[in-house]
Amino acid sequence: NPQAYYCLGRLALEDKKPAEAADCFSKAVLLSPDSDSGYYFLALAQIDLDKPTEALATLDKARQKFAQSFVLEFYTGLAYSRQKAHAEALRHLVAAEVIAKATDPSQLNEGFYFQLGATCERKGDLAQAEEYFRKSLKLAPEFAETLNYLGYMWAERGTNLAQAREMIEKAVKAEPKNAAFLDSLAWVLFKLNQPKEALPYALKAAESTEQPDATVFDHLGDIYAALKKPEQAREAW
């Protein structure tokens, strides 16, 4: 029964078990090849497994069988983002936006515009990224992912530092153990010439990463150097 596999797959996705979900959705597609949702859920599970090439192959099969849709374009954009093919990702995300505006604008939520902004930033178009991030925050002013990303983007450029600090502090308050948010707060404080205040957050970020992160330790080294602690800086670097 394909419906049973859909239900099991969705439960596995919710439980953050993408391998189990992919197996269920693969079976659903085999049993019900003319249902588009199986392909889309399978692609999403493959993206979660960090297998974007497999996801794109699944989505290409869907593209040949079904009409263009928001979900098809959005997931294709996500898969290309995982491949770091940011120009291609942006093309599909913009196509998704056009479809949603014409059919169901409610799909254009804060998460969608966060993804568009992040893709533009990675592509190097910072002005467009900022515009999309502002759309995301207009829809959800407390959306932590966008608050952090835009704040960090400004910190990196050394612009809007006071506002960047406020935004990242909100993100950290929402998710106090998020290593990326802690690192962002450390970095904006460093950029504000407050290395002493930055250090505890940088240390927490280093402790909180599941896998050692080069950027986090690079920032920690810069903060130690500003505090005139060359041995600790050298160790972090």
Side-chain angles (χ1 to χ4, degrees):
N1 184 341
Q3 197 60 42
Y5 283 119
Y6 285 135
C7 293
L8 288 170
R10 289 181 184 183
L11 286 172
L13 276 181
E14 288 175 12
D15 291 341
K16 302 192 185 302
K17 296 176 180 176
E20 189 178 314
D23 182 57
C24 289
F25 292 130
S26 293
K27 290 172 181 172
V29 166
L30 282 172
L31 290 169
S32 185
D34 294 324
S35 173
D36 59 354
S37 59
Y39 294 86
Y40 300 144
F41 278 119
L42 175 57
L44 183 58
Q46 290 166 333
I47 291 167
D48 284 351
L49 284 167
D50 202 21
K51 293 182 177 179
T53 303
E54 291 183 18
L56 287 168
T58 299
L59 292 162
D60 189 50
K61 289 176 185 174
R63 195 176 295 277
Q64 292 171 31
K65 290 175 71 71
F66 309 111
Q68 188 186 33
S69 67
F70 171 83
V71 175
L72 175 60
E73 296 303 330
F74 181 54
Y75 286 0
T76 302
L78 293 182
Y80 276 119
S81 289
R82 287 294 180 98
Q83 287 189 332
K84 302 189 189 308
H86 301 307
E88 196 64 24
L90 184 61
R91 186 170 72 83
H92 287 282
L93 291 172
V94 169
E97 182 186 28
V98 170
I99 292 167
K101 281 182 176 178
T103 59
D104 184 4
S106 68
Q107 292 171 307
L108 302 176
N109 58 19
E110 64 274 14
F112 176 80
Y113 282 114
F114 167 79
Q115 189 64 45
L116 257 178
T119 302
C120 286
E121 187 273 335
R122 289 164 188 156
K123 186 174 171 286
D125 189 345
L126 303 186
Q128 187 65 61
E130 184 172 327
E131 186 177 321
Y132 285 131
F133 286 140
R134 288 188 183 279
K135 280 188 178 181
S136 175
L137 291 175
K138 187 175 181 181
L139 291 166
E142 304 299 316
F143 189 56
E145 291 287 346
T146 303
L147 288 168
N148 174 69
Y149 205 124
L150 179 55
Y152 183 79
M153 189 177 88
W154 281 339
E156 277 284 89
R157 294 160 65 192
T159 59
N160 301 334
L161 290 177
Q163 189 178 356
R165 176 181 178 173
E166 287 179 15
M167 292 167 72
I168 297 168
E169 282 177 338
K170 282 185 184 178
V172 169
K173 186 176 180 181
E175 297 183 31
K177 294 182 180 178
N178 187 309
F181 296 178
L182 290 164
D183 174 65
S184 296
L185 185 51
W187 196 234
V188 75
L189 288 166
F190 172 80
K191 290 281 191 167
L192 285 163
N193 297 314
Q194 297 176 28
K196 185 177 178 182
E197 291 80 359
L199 182 59
Y201 295 108
L203 290 170
K204 280 184 191 174
E207 291 166 7
S208 301
T209 51
E210 292 182 11
Q211 298 291 332
D213 186 287
T215 301
V216 170
F217 283 105
D218 186 34
H219 290 167
L220 180 59
D222 289 351
I223 290 165
Y224 273 129
L227 291 168
K228 302 194 177 351
K229 295 184 176 181
E231 290 304 316
Q232 289 96 323
R234 189 175 293 112
E235 183 183 350
W237 285 327

